[in-house]
Amino acid sequence: MTSKITAVLLLFVLTLPAQDKNFFPKPSYFRETFSTPKVKVEMLPPVKLADYVVDGKLELSLRSYVELVMANNTDVELSRLAVDTAKNAILRGYSVFDPLALASFNSTRQRSLPTDALAGATTLATLSQPLTMSFQQLVPTGTSYTVAFAETKNTTNSGFANFNPAFNSNLQISFSQPLLRNRGAFINRLPITLAHSRVRKSEYDLKTNLINLIQTAELVYWQAIQLRESLRVQESALDVADKFLKRSQRELELGAISKLDIYQPELQFVQAQANVAQARYQVLQQDDALRKQIGADLDPNIRILPIVLTETPAPPADTSTPNTEALIAKALTMRPDLKSAAQDLDVDDLQIRGFSNDMRPDLALTGTYTTQGRGGIGYVRTNVFNDLGERTPITQVLPGGFGDAFSQMWGFGYPIYGFGLRLRLPIKNRAASANMADAIINKRRDTLEVRAVEQQIRLDVLNAVNQVESSKMAVDLAIKSRDFAKLALDAENKKYELGTSQIQFVITAQSNLNVAESKVVTESVQYRRNVLRQLQVTGELLEERGIAIK
């Protein structure tokens, strides 16, 4: 029996295609098939944070901040996983070409009462042991083939059996080649092509997500800058209020002002203290949001460090008018969401090809070739006559077994072969027609989506350019207003010192200066936001920040 199984396994390996012999059997195959993977997701700590620690503080420029966001931001890592999932679909598309090996063995023993004398025994006992092994595969051209080996051993106690045990060997090679539906490499590799197209779409979507994530992260950075500048303005106002209060207290001691005039400077000082305290709280709160963006909240040693931001909301230096149409043309070339929408059209075309294939009649050329052999212990029954003419039956036992049947099978002396055509012609194929109609509608819809995205891109660029130009003018006006507020405060101070003005006018001028300085900070940061928005809508943000997707 061992030699029989060894020979069959050898036959099975010989029938494998060359490309399958290269990988089967390998240890990795058995590990993947029979072992359950232990999936352990290791959460790595944030990286590169220590590189930006200077004198016990986390010092961040805009470029270093963006680098840390790309390295440690959790949302960035989540976005990248979508591409990995899409790539797995490519591997899944190859599954239709995966070879399949089948094997079965049965052993059936039966005892029965015979119904006629030809059974050859008073109680008929039989043992049947069929073994089948097959290998089947689909190749990219659409041809499917099967190589099957069958071996059956039959044992009986019937006296009329010519072979007992009897071995029957059978080797069959069959194929089926589609002639209309599923014909050709393109249609059979369509799932793989679709998967590749969807991977490209997922890469465009990833780029869109990264642009949005970087924009959000930079908005957090500039918000932190604005709050720091606001705190600086409030601290400056507190310092002025403190000096003014001390001067008023000195004047009260000298009798230059009445006791009733001291309440207004004291109120201004208390309000300035409250504004500083609130501004500091907002700075600390925004720093926590900034730490989350760069993953600093995950490191217990880094998250306790104070943050120093080196960028300043400097007024715009570029006063030239941008070429709007050139920016629109660049956006139409670079925007990944437009490329993603256009990629949907490629998917639609592939799906239309697939549904068109489904509507064709299923006509296939089939062929089969079978070789067979028989062996076993043979019983040759003859009659011998003596001189008196009496008949004496003699049974000659011929030794044999599985090897005889196997060698006879490979002798190809008893072949069976044939060819044929198989046609499946649905009179109506409503499901395929509906699928085709849906695919055509989807392409029309996606075509309109592309046009809608193009229109939206044009509008986004126009709005972004207008906002940048408006911010330039707003910053310029805010600077001029601050300069006039300084002059007005100086004038009120001089008039107050000369005794020609009242204290409330000085306080009002000081408040106006604080508001003007805050306006300069707000408009400068808003200009940075609008420039960031312009880079986003033109699709230049990643390139401008030196970010490349691999």
Side-chain angles (χ1 to χ4, degrees):
M1 187 65 180
T2 304
S3 59
K4 173 181 177 181
I5 295 176
T6 303
V8 172
L9 289 176
L10 177 60
L11 169 65
F12 175 69
V13 173
L14 290 175
T15 57
L16 286 174
Q19 66 271 23
D20 299 322
K21 295 178 187 177
N22 292 333
F23 72 84
F24 182 83
K26 283 187 176 181
S28 59
Y29 169 81
F30 296 101
R31 286 197 302 267
E32 294 174 0
T33 304
F34 297 104
S35 64
T36 301
K38 296 181 180 179
V39 181
K40 182 179 179 181
V41 180
E42 184 179 359
M43 303 303 295
L44 298 177
V47 297
K48 299 182 179 181
L49 290 172
D51 298 341
Y52 301 101
V53 176
V54 179
D55 296 331
K57 297 180 181 179
L58 187 60
E59 189 172 297
L60 300 175
S61 66
L62 181 60
R63 179 171 293 275
S64 61
Y65 170 75
V66 171
E67 181 181 356
L68 291 175
V69 169
M70 290 300 300
N72 300 322
N73 190 279
T74 304
D75 293 331
V76 171
E77 294 299 321
L78 287 173
S79 299
R80 289 172 176 168
L81 293 179
V83 177
D84 296 335
T85 302
K87 290 180 179 179
N88 291 336
I90 298 176
L91 180 62
R92 189 178 299 110
Y94 281 98
S95 63
V96 294
F97 304 117
D98 290 342
L100 177 63
L102 303 173
S104 67
F105 174 77
N106 293 290
S107 182
T108 305
R109 189 180 296 275
Q110 180 179 353
R111 296 176 66 88
S112 61
L113 294 173
T115 57
D116 55 67
L118 298 178
T122 56
T123 299
L124 187 62
T126 60
L127 174 63
S128 177
Q129 294 178 315
L131 169 68
T132 60
M133 303 184 73
S134 64
F135 177 89
Q136 59 189 40
Q137 188 177 24
L138 175 70
V139 296
T141 58
T143 305
S144 60
Y145 69 91
T146 302
V147 179
F149 171 79
E151 174 69 27
T152 303
K153 175 184 177 182
N154 292 308
T155 304
T156 181
N157 64 345
S158 174
F160 297 132
N162 292 329
F163 291 90
N164 191 20
F167 294 91
N168 293 296
S169 298
N170 186 292
L171 177 64
Q172 183 182 67
I173 302 174
S174 59
F175 74 91
S176 176
Q177 171 61 52
L179 301 179
L180 294 177
R181 185 190 298 182
N182 298 329
R183 175 177 177 268
F186 176 83
I187 199 65
N188 286 281
R189 292 176 58 89
L190 185 60
I192 303 172
T193 309
L194 274 169
H196 278 287
S197 183
R198 291 190 173 108
V199 166
R200 288 192 291 272
K201 176 178 172 60
S202 68
E203 290 172 348
Y204 295 141
D205 293 339
L206 171 62
K207 195 171 183 179
T208 300
N209 291 336
L210 288 181
I211 288 176
N212 294 333
L213 290 173
I214 293 300
Q215 185 206 23
T216 301
E218 289 198 21
L219 289 177
V220 173
Y221 185 91
W222 287 115
Q223 180 66 17
I225 291 287
Q226 180 177 348
L227 292 176
R228 278 168 166 74
E229 292 295 321
S230 297
L231 174 60
R232 182 186 60 80
V233 171
Q234 296 300 332
E235 288 176 341
S236 176
L238 176 61
D239 183 61
V240 172
D242 180 57
K243 292 179 180 178
F244 190 74
L245 176 61
K246 290 179 179 179
R247 188 178 72 171
S248 298
Q249 291 173 340
R250 180 61 178 166
E251 291 174 349
L252 179 63
E253 293 174 356
L254 297 175
I257 60 174
S258 68
K259 189 175 181 180
L260 297 177
D261 293 333
I262 197 64
Y263 298 133
Q264 189 66 32
E266 289 178 344
L267 176 62
Q268 182 186 11
F269 178 74
V270 172
Q271 290 177 340
Q273 284 183 317
N275 292 336
V276 169
Q278 184 178 11
R280 285 176 179 170
Y281 170 77
Q282 291 175 344
V283 168
L284 294 176
Q285 188 178 31
Q286 190 65 21
D287 283 354
D288 290 335
L290 192 143
R291 289 187 181 95
K292 177 180 178 296
Q293 289 290 332
I294 61 177
D297 58 332
L298 302 175
D299 192 325
N301 297 322
I302 300 295
R303 64 186 174 211
I304 61 175
L305 299 179
I307 297 177
V308 176
L309 305 181
T310 61
E311 299 292 336
T312 58
D318 184 14
T319 59
S320 61
T321 303
N323 188 340
T324 306
E325 290 301 323
L327 289 176
I328 293 174
K330 180 180 291 186
L332 293 175
T333 303
M334 299 187 65
R335 279 278 290 265
D337 53 341
L338 178 59
K339 295 180 181 179
S340 177
Q343 195 64 38
D344 285 331
L345 297 177
D346 181 66
V347 174
D348 293 334
D349 290 334
L350 293 174
Q351 289 180 335
I352 289 174
R353 291 285 298 271
F355 293 134
S356 176
N357 171 75
D358 294 340
M359 297 181 67
R360 296 176 181 176
D362 186 6
L363 178 63
L365 173 66
T366 61
T368 180
Y369 180 87
T370 305
T371 179
Q372 53 191 345
R374 177 177 296 175
I377 300 176
Y379 296 87
V380 180
R381 297 174 178 85
T382 59
N383 294 318
V384 179
F385 295 91
N386 58 18
D387 296 338
L388 300 176
E390 296 174 345
R391 179 175 63 86
T392 302
I394 297 176
T395 301
Q396 183 181 4
V397 180
L398 302 178
F402 167 73
D404 297 325
F406 195 73
S407 61
Q408 190 179 86
M409 179 188 70
W410 285 107
F412 303 100
Y414 304 96
I416 302 173
Y417 49 85
F419 294 92
L421 291 173
R422 184 187 66 243
L423 175 64
R424 281 185 74 249
L425 182 62
I427 304 304
K428 287 186 177 181
N429 196 345
R430 298 176 182 177
S433 299
N435 291 336
M436 175 63 78
D438 287 344
I440 294 174
I441 292 174
N442 287 337
K443 184 169 183 180
R444 292 176 179 172
R445 181 186 297 110
D446 291 337
T447 303
L448 293 174
E449 288 287 346
V450 170
R451 186 170 71 177
V453 173
E454 290 175 347
Q455 290 178 300
Q456 187 62 45
I457 288 175
R458 182 177 183 86
L459 180 61
D460 289 344
V461 172
L462 292 174
N463 289 337
V465 170
N466 290 334
Q467 288 171 355
V468 169
E469 295 302 308
S470 176
S471 288
K472 290 180 182 180
M473 184 178 296
V475 171
D476 183 61
L477 293 176
I479 293 175
K480 291 179 179 179
S481 297
R482 181 193 61 188
D483 295 340
F484 284 122
K486 287 182 179 179
L487 295 175
L489 178 60
D490 293 340
E492 290 296 334
N493 281 326
K494 290 179 180 179
K495 288 191 293 183
Y496 180 75
E497 291 173 354
L498 296 174
T500 59
S501 178
Q502 299 179 359
I503 187 66
Q504 60 266 26
F505 295 119
V506 177
I507 294 174
T508 300
Q510 179 63 51
S511 299
N512 292 337
L513 177 59
N514 294 340
V515 172
E517 289 181 343
S518 297
K519 187 69 172 178
V520 171
V521 172
T522 301
E523 294 299 338
S524 298
V525 172
Q526 186 61 37
Y527 168 75
R528 294 286 187 174
R529 292 193 184 105
N530 290 334
V531 171
L532 178 63
R533 172 63 178 169
Q534 180 174 313
L535 292 175
Q536 179 199 20
V537 299
T538 57
E540 301 174 273
L541 182 57
L542 296 182
E543 180 180 345
E544 186 71 19
R545 298 297 182 257
I547 299 173
I549 301 176
K550 297 181 180 180

